[in-house]
Structure formats: C-alpha cells, structure tokens
Amino acid sequence: MNTLKEEQALLIATANLAKESAYAPYSNFRVGAALMTDEGDVFHGCNVENSSYSMTICAERNALFQAVAKGKKKFRAIAITSDDAGFITPCGACRQVLSEFNPDLEIILSTAGGDKKITTLSKLFPVPPELKKLARKPRKTGKK
Ligand code: THU
C-alpha cells in the first residue's frame, strides 16, 4: 500500500466532493475521482458527458489530465467514488491511460455508503502495451 489511512480518507473525501460537479444528464451516474501525486498533491475530476455519447470523459481521466496539465507526472494513488451502493472500477480506457504514468498505481474504491476497498492497477490492467519503447526512438525530422 502506498498510502496511509489518513491519505485514503482525504482522497475519498475529495473524490466525493468532485462527484458533486459531475455533468451526467444522460446516465444520471455521477462519478468522482481524486489522484495523489508522489509529493502528496491531490487533483480531482468528475465525469463530463456529452450528447454525442462517445465524447464523454470519465472522472479518472479528467483527474489525471488536470494533474498533467499542472506539470505532474508521478502518481501514488487514485480514489474513485459514485452514488452506487457497490464498488465501481475504472473502465478499460482509464486503466490504460492511468497505466501510462504508473502501471502499479494504488486504486482506492469507495461506495456511496462509505465502504472502501484497495486494489492496484497492475491487478486490473496486468499487461499494459509497451509502445513507450517505440516512442523513445529518435525521429528523423529532416532538420540538420
Ligand atoms: N464513468 C466514470 O466516470 N468512471 C468510471 O469508472 C465508470 C464510468 C462514467 C462515464 C459515464 O459518464 C457514466 O459514468 C456512466 O458510464
């Protein structure tokens, strides 16, 4: 586990607050996420839906992009919460995008009733793509 109990509580509380900003008129399913950096900073996100359904962004990626936009790229844990009585886990797209930055990210799942379960991204997304190796190859730009 990467986080202390107090940090988990902070992340869950922040995810619950973020959930209040969800824009989910189509699914009526509000989600909040809170992501902690290596340094302990917290960034939050909610789901934002669109009438063109596929344009919807999940709370997890929203939180991650907020953090990256502020120059953060190292993360310890993410908390995810909804109004559901059960635990919700990140969708496939979010698993892959989160794994880009930390394939072993701690994932704190929380229910509307306050139950908590901790898992890791390496359990939920055990074989991430290895395209980074390709991306690191220097490209020929044509410039001298
Ligand atoms: N959603 C999230 O934001 N995160 C999840 O982990 C599951 C799904 C959103 C997408 C959509 O706005 C709504 O929940 C229903 O799928």
Side-chain angles (χ1 to χ4, degrees):
M1 221 175 288
N2 291 326
T3 49
L4 303 169
K5 278 226 165 81
E6 303 77 58
E7 291 172 324
Q8 293 162 15
L10 170 71
L11 285 171
I12 291 170
T14 307
N16 274 316
L17 261 183
K19 187 182 69 179
E20 297 297 319
S21 302
Y23 177 73
Y26 303 103
S27 71
N28 279 320
F29 192 81
R30 304 184 307 164
V31 183
L35 182 66
M36 183 172 273
T37 68
D38 261 16
E39 301 150 327
D41 296 326
V42 177
F43 291 85
H44 62 266
C46 58
N47 55 332
V48 181
E49 297 186 343
N50 190 264
S51 58
S52 176
Y53 291 0
S54 66
M55 304 300 286
T56 292
I57 186 85
C58 294
E60 296 91 324
R61 270 176 292 156
N62 193 350
L64 176 73
F65 296 159
Q66 306 279 349
V68 175
K70 295 277 188 213
K72 308 295 179 184
K73 292 186 179 63
K74 290 187 175 171
F75 306 107
R76 280 163 59 195
I78 189 168
I80 304 157
T81 188
S82 77
D83 295 317
D84 205 81
F87 295 108
I88 64 153
T89 56
C91 76
C94 287
R95 292 179 196 200
Q96 176 151 339
V97 172
L98 290 166
S99 91
E100 178 85 17
F101 293 89
N102 180 359
D104 199 27
L105 187 70
E106 180 179 320
I107 300 191
I108 303 159
L109 306 173
S110 165
T111 68
D115 290 332
K116 179 175 80 177
K117 188 159 83 179
I118 299 190
T119 183
T120 62
L121 190 53
S122 50
K123 279 193 191 130
L124 299 182
F125 194 66
V127 191
E130 295 186 59
L131 291 174
K132 272 186 183 169
K133 285 178 195 154
L134 291 176
R136 285 206 189 98
K137 276 187 191 163
R139 294 203 190 97
K140 284 180 186 160
T141 60
K143 287 182 193 160
K144 287 191 180 166

